[in-house]
Amino acid sequence: MAKTRKIPLRKSVVSGEMIDKRDLLRIVKNKEGEIFIDPTGKKNGRGAYIKLSNEEAQEAKKKKVFNRAFQVEVADSFYDELIAFVAHKVKRRELGLD
């Protein structure tokens, strides 16, 4: 009999829904206060997750969710970088490369 594996779930900071960790993108704030995208999901620091969808990335910028999640002012340029990264990842998934 096959053993059923537990699927790790995380909450999206934009929609608030619990989603499979593999379908989310981790954003990290490290001890130096730097905020960056963590494609591996393993970097040190405080993490916040958003769903890998273009709509969710746009909503994150509109609501400035990472300002609230990390309690610091996050530059608009980071949100633009996030939107571009998510668009790239979504396109790769559609093509079956990820």
Side-chain angles (χ1 to χ4, degrees), residues 47-93:
Y49 295 85
I50 69 163
K51 192 186 328 179
L52 265 176
S53 77
N54 293 320
E55 298 80 27
E56 193 125 338
Q58 296 286 345
E59 193 72 20
K61 181 177 182 180
K62 194 168 94 179
K63 290 182 176 178
K64 296 194 179 287
V65 294
F66 297 114
N67 293 16
R68 191 169 51 247
F70 297 128
Q71 298 172 346
V72 293
E73 189 64 35
V74 179
D76 276 346
S77 61
F78 172 78
Y79 286 107
D80 295 334
E81 179 188 335
L82 174 70
I83 290 167
F85 185 85
V86 168
H88 174 75
K89 290 297 262 183
V90 167
K91 189 57 100 178
R92 283 185 62 92
R93 277 200 171 175

Side-chain angles (χ1 to χ4, degrees), residues 3-54:
K3 187 176 178 183
T4 56
R5 297 188 83 125
K6 194 169 97 175
I7 299 169
L9 298 174
R10 298 290 182 268
K11 185 184 273 193
S12 168
V13 292
V14 177
S15 65
E17 61 183 307
M18 296 296 281
I19 304 169
D20 182 350
K21 189 176 171 183
R22 292 171 295 203
D23 297 330
L24 295 168
L25 177 64
R26 185 169 189 249
I27 311 301
V28 176
K29 176 186 172 202
N30 64 13
K31 286 183 180 174
E32 289 76 44
E34 301 168 318
I35 295 175
F36 53 91
I37 298 168
D38 178 12
T40 64
K42 296 179 178 156
K43 297 234 187 323
N44 288 333
R46 174 92 172 124
Y49 295 85
I50 69 163
K51 192 186 328 179
L52 265 176
S53 77
N54 293 320

